[in-house]
Amino acid sequence: MKNLFKAGGVCMLFFLLCVSNLFSQTADQRAENLQNGTNTIFMSADKSYYKHNSASDNDPYGYGYWIQAHTLETLADAYQRTRNSVYKDRMKSIIAGIRKYNSYGAGTYHNDFYDDLEWLCLASFNCYNATKDPEFLDAVHQMWTEIKTGYTNGAMSWKKGCNTPCKNSIANGPAIVIAVKLYQLEGDNSNLQMAKDIHTWMKANVFNAQGGIWDSPTNLDPDWQFSYNSGMFIAACLELNLVTGTQSYIDDGIKACEFMMNYRNYNGGVFFLNENGQGDGGLFKGIFAKWFIEFVRMGNLTQAQKDRYLGVINYTSNYVWAKAVNKTNYLINSYWDSVPTGTIDLSTQSAGLHLFESVASLNKVHAYQNINYGGFYSQLSTGNYTLAQLQARGISDNDITSLTVPAGYVVTVYENDNFGGASKVFTANSAWLADWNDRISSLKIVDTNTSLVNVYQDITYSGYTAGLNVGDYTLAQLRAKGILDNDITSLKITEGYKVTVYDGDNFTGASKDFTATTDWAGDWNDRTTSLRIRPNGTPNLGNITYYLQNRHSGLYMDVWGLSTADGGNIAQGNYTGANNQKFKLIDAGDGAYQIQGINSGKAVDVAGVSVENGANVHQWTYVGAANQQFIAVSTGDGYYKLVAKHSGKLVEVAGFSTVSGGNVQQWENANQASGHWKLIPAGTAKFAKTELTTETETAATAINVYPNPVESTLFFTGEVSGTQVRIFSLTGNSVSEQKIQSDNVNVSGLAAGTYFIVFEKDGAKITKRFIKK
């Protein structure tokens, strides 16, 4: 963006600021905008079919049965993503329109092409698993009965009454997926056997030594190794593995994936740039994207394999969004490396829908009704789900049997509503929950992945973005995160970290350090080929024993109860001079330190390696983990922020407490005084008994606030005239400060939420919590 920035001056900058949100949208927003654009441009006047193209083609009999089926399938994905009934209504309208305008038999699903029947059968299955609407299952059964008439000698025919070549790959891969799904749902062994036999036929006749899929046994033209054939073979391998547990199916799928990695991987990591036509071919790469992503999400792969494939998926998604999507109408080009011009076919648009809906599914937990990820399922984003909230997502009480869990996500399930009763944690896919099968009434989902640095394609944090943590990133590793070479323009950097960028690969050539968020990289715009992220704390504080005094309360960090055990809690206390209030900073490099308790010899530790606000701080045996190292960031006036290296969050006193025993936790860095600590070397200062009160002493001079919750005026009990009062938000931001001359304060200007009000009276600080309605 550097040339545009210089050429357009202020006007161009203003334009980019206005549209930046269009480029840096989340995966969910991208999918939603593409769905909305498709509905606006392609939906027919009677809402019963999608038009063939983005121009004025409104012929209901030329809409394309199989392409319509794929667009229908993406509606089921959108409904899973949003649970918005508008998508369910569209599903019902579209499948009715397919029957209404079916030129092979009005009022039916009949078709002379078996692969077309299979596409609609798969779409109907997806709709049923999303909605439980029996209309879609009835459609599956009707079509499957017809599809089976094309099955002979262990393989499916492509078309009714066709001559050689007839048994094409694309009629066989989808048939396996349908047969297995029906076996999962209904237990008919003949369907499973049929799926196994077709797979055997495909391996013997169309699966080549490189892992590619020939179009048919009689067509071995390398230029006809289409991505949708590979995608459906990979899907077939996944489904067979899930129900049989046979690893060789996954091995076959991996070989097919590797063919795509080796022979269909372009421009540093983007799939499918060789398939650029519209018409039927416009859908090929979208079909591959959908099923390749399903294979990665559910398949029994090593984490290294998943990470490698996910890198290419994310890179492709960011590349296509940046280069091939028109952000004014959300049309997508058949060429996934340039913005569309002219008429776009529904097939091409639907390929984009498959890509972006599937990518959006990767940041969700999937909860399934049946074993091996079968039957009805629902996508769940991070958050807490009571029984009522699960039911709103279509999940019945005690009806979850299997889960897929993205890397870094933590799912805590509970046997009772409102997170009560026994619980268990899941951090990886589970094809059967065993003793937790049909036992879950509520659950919580936390994403423990954290991005300490975000880099952006364009100025002012726009364009595609990627999150990075402490580490070294070569060009290949940046590409695996979806970042193109020489394409970084702005950065958001968590306080306490440093980004060193290089104009050569492998940390070579010229370099520059960025230590703070910057909206334009200046002479380093579009110049970065590799980079390093390191802590950026104050050096030379190590090998000294300190007392750690909190700025807000004046009290001292304290291993409570003189504990020497793993898990001993850390709070704040009145000064005692005892060893449980002494901590040695041990240099861990780059201004980060292990904080070792003198009394116990154990390290200050963020419990559970959590990145969440409110995670407890305790002591634990030191193992060198990032949650046991803290970056010392000077405030410039004698205090330091202690930034947890793994999360970028501050060690602070919870709730702005000023009493002895106030707990210590981690919280988002809002420069809150409760997260500032003075490092006082032990033995270098004389401590007087603190004048701050204990919790018991505070009670004797208590100030209470009412009404709580409050709408406009907050009243106080006790003598407060002349008292200095500060109000803090829940995240620690100071929102008001004044000297009180009466028994109340006006809070009508505050936004609704939870606040802390701090009274400074007679040398003591008294903190109260209130809720603003």
Side-chain angles (χ1 to χ4, degrees), residues 305-533:
Q305 288 170 324
K306 285 193 175 188
D307 289 345
R308 179 166 173 258
Y309 294 153
L310 285 170
V312 175
I313 290 166
N314 291 327
Y315 184 86
T316 298
S317 174
N318 285 335
Y319 187 99
V320 174
W321 183 259
K323 296 187 177 291
V325 177
N326 184 328
K327 308 305 187 302
T328 63
N329 57 16
Y330 297 104
L331 285 176
I332 187 168
N333 201 3
S334 61
Y335 292 82
W336 276 6
D337 57 0
S338 59
V339 175
T341 58
T343 300
I344 296 299
D345 286 349
L346 178 62
S347 57
T348 292
Q349 188 74 5
S350 296
L353 288 171
H354 270 318
L355 172 65
F356 288 107
E357 286 290 0
S358 296
V359 168
S361 76
L362 288 171
N363 63 1
K364 311 289 193 308
V365 170
H366 289 58
Y368 294 85
Q369 182 181 28
N370 297 332
I371 195 171
N372 298 321
Y373 320 122
F376 173 83
Y377 70 96
S378 183
Q379 294 182 10
L380 301 174
S381 300
T382 56
N384 300 336
Y385 295 85
T386 63
L387 178 58
Q389 290 167 317
L390 289 175
Q391 290 171 334
R393 303 288 302 184
I395 300 173
S396 301
D397 191 18
N398 298 321
D399 204 31
I400 298 175
T401 298
S402 53
L403 293 167
T404 62
V405 182
Y409 281 54
V410 176
V411 182
T412 306
V413 299
Y414 299 84
E415 67 175 348
N416 296 335
D417 193 11
N418 296 308
F419 322 112
S423 65
K424 184 173 181 178
V425 171
F426 293 89
T427 59
N429 290 359
S430 178
W432 183 50
L433 300 184
D435 56 329
W436 277 86
N437 176 51
D438 292 346
R439 187 182 169 188
I440 297 169
S441 294
S442 58
L443 59 83
K444 296 179 179 180
I445 302 172
V446 174
D447 178 7
T448 65
N449 297 300
T450 180
S451 297
L452 300 170
V453 172
N454 280 85
V455 296
Y456 298 82
Q457 179 190 26
D458 297 328
I459 65 169
T460 61
Y461 325 115
S462 59
Y464 67 76
T465 182
L468 307 174
N469 292 314
V470 172
D472 297 340
Y473 297 86
T474 64
L475 177 58
Q477 290 167 316
L478 289 176
R479 283 172 170 166
K481 290 286 187 180
I483 304 167
L484 282 65
D485 190 18
N486 298 321
D487 211 31
I488 295 174
T489 298
S490 53
L491 307 91
K492 288 186 178 180
I493 303 173
T494 301
E495 186 178 26
Y497 299 86
K498 174 178 68 177
V499 180
T500 304
V501 297
Y502 300 83
D503 63 6
D505 196 7
N506 298 305
F507 324 111
T508 60
S511 65
K512 181 176 180 177
D513 291 336
F514 289 90
T515 59
T517 291
T518 178
D519 62 2
W520 184 48
D523 58 342
W524 274 83
N525 175 58
D526 292 346
R527 187 179 168 187
T528 298
T529 298
S530 59
L531 62 83
R532 285 182 164 133
I533 300 174

